[in-house]
Amino acid sequence: MRKPTYNVYVTQESQPDQNGDKSTYWTKVGVAFAHNSKPGVNIVLTPGIAVSGKLVLLEPKEEGASPQNQPTG
């Protein structure tokens, strides 16, 4: 099987803390593969997971790397 072109995450922003700062939580919900012959990607979501909100595609980093501090675009 090919390696995924992207990891797929759902982001969720927390409520502001006492200082007004917000945190963004990243949950990996699947992977995406680029098409071989045409522009586009196939997104494969983890079975049984409910997804809503914004999906973010990020190129895979080294194994076990956290998506923290990534732009949420």
Side-chain angles (χ1 to χ4, degrees):
M1 184 175 198
R2 298 185 344 222
K3 285 189 172 187
T5 309
Y6 299 100
N7 289 321
V8 181
Y9 296 90
V10 171
T11 61
Q12 182 178 7
E13 205 168 86
S14 69
Q15 295 295 321
D17 64 14
Q18 297 173 12
N19 300 323
D21 296 329
K22 294 181 181 181
S23 295
T24 301
Y25 295 98
W26 295 73
T27 304
K28 185 176 176 183
V29 296
V31 294
F33 298 89
H35 293 179
N36 287 331
S37 58
K38 295 183 181 178
V41 295
N42 290 336
I43 297 175
V44 180
L45 299 176
T46 303
I49 194 166
V51 176
S52 65
K54 179 171 62 171
L55 294 176
V56 179
L57 303 178
L58 297 176
E59 291 181 353
K61 302 289 182 191
E62 54 190 76
E63 197 66 30
S66 172
Q68 291 178 341
N69 302 319
Q70 294 287 334
T72 57

